[in-house]
Amino acid sequence: MRRTVTIALSAAVIIAGFALASLHVAAQQQKTGNLILRGDMAYFFGPGKPKNCTLNNVYKRGEPVGWRIEAVDPQTGQHAEPDTQLVVHLNYMGQTKDIPMRWRATATQPERTFWVAKWIVPDDAPTGIVRFTVTAKDKYGRTGDFKPFDVEASQLTIVADGPSSN
């Protein structure tokens, strides 16, 4: 009798454990809402170089355009998980160029909780506005979009070589 009760109680504990585990997994998979994307553009010359990480939207041929984008979980207000996929979609010379972004935080710089991408303005780039958007998708199927303000003065702009006018 005692052995039967022990087996029955053990089975009940195991079944309850499976039920709790499946509820936990289901709760994790039921993330909803659109990811919130925000960010900026800056020079990406490299660490220690003048103007590196300086905000900018006007670039000359050969200069490095850098995007820094955060993706935020709408349910928690925290950053989306590092395996979230972000892509810059650059409308350049009549085609869309997709530039995958990478998670910036590292063991030595864990505070850099955002994604980055870099594009060097080609030497033959025409002058004018270059439109872009950024999209994100996480492992839960949630998506998000970033689009700069629809104001020409704030768009990514390629200018002719030579001194910049302020």
Side-chain angles (χ1 to χ4, degrees):
M1 178 76 163
R2 183 182 240 177
R3 185 175 184 169
T4 304
V5 170
T6 302
I7 292 172
L9 285 174
S10 296
V13 167
I14 290 170
I15 291 170
F18 283 135
L20 286 174
S22 67
L23 285 175
H24 178 71
V25 168
Q28 284 182 329
Q29 292 174 347
Q30 292 181 359
K31 293 197 173 229
T32 60
N34 290 333
L35 296 171
I36 301 163
L37 272 57
R38 57 187 178 220
D40 58 27
M41 283 185 299
Y43 285 118
F44 272 19
F45 286 112
K49 302 221 172 127
K51 291 188 180 182
N52 188 51
C53 290
T54 301
L55 296 178
N56 193 43
N57 71 305
V58 178
Y59 295 84
K60 297 175 189 172
R61 295 171 183 103
E63 290 185 324
V65 179
W67 287 272
R68 301 179 294 195
I69 304 289
E70 283 184 307
V72 177
D73 183 322
Q75 292 178 309
T76 65
Q78 302 297 313
H79 289 101
E81 297 175 23
D83 60 355
T84 300
Q85 296 176 351
L86 277 75
V87 178
V88 176
H89 306 282
L90 193 66
N91 295 318
Y92 179 72
M93 295 184 70
Q95 296 182 338
T96 301
K97 178 177 177 61
D98 291 338
I99 306 168
M101 301 189 82
R102 70 175 175 83
W103 179 244
R104 176 63 180 88
T106 62
T108 56
Q109 295 175 318
E111 74 283 356
R112 298 190 179 182
T113 53
F114 50 87
W115 287 259
V116 294
K118 180 177 177 178
W119 177 64
I120 306 292
V121 178
D123 291 336
D124 61 349
T127 59
I129 292 174
V130 177
R131 305 271 181 202
F132 75 91
T133 60
V134 179
T135 58
K137 184 174 182 181
D138 71 5
K139 64 184 176 186
Y140 306 104
R142 296 179 301 177
T143 60
D145 298 298
F146 173 84
K147 182 179 172 184
F149 295 114
D150 195 16
V151 175
E152 286 198 13
S154 66
Q155 299 297 315
L156 170 57
T157 305
I158 309 302
V159 296
D161 296 335
S164 296
S165 59
N166 292 332

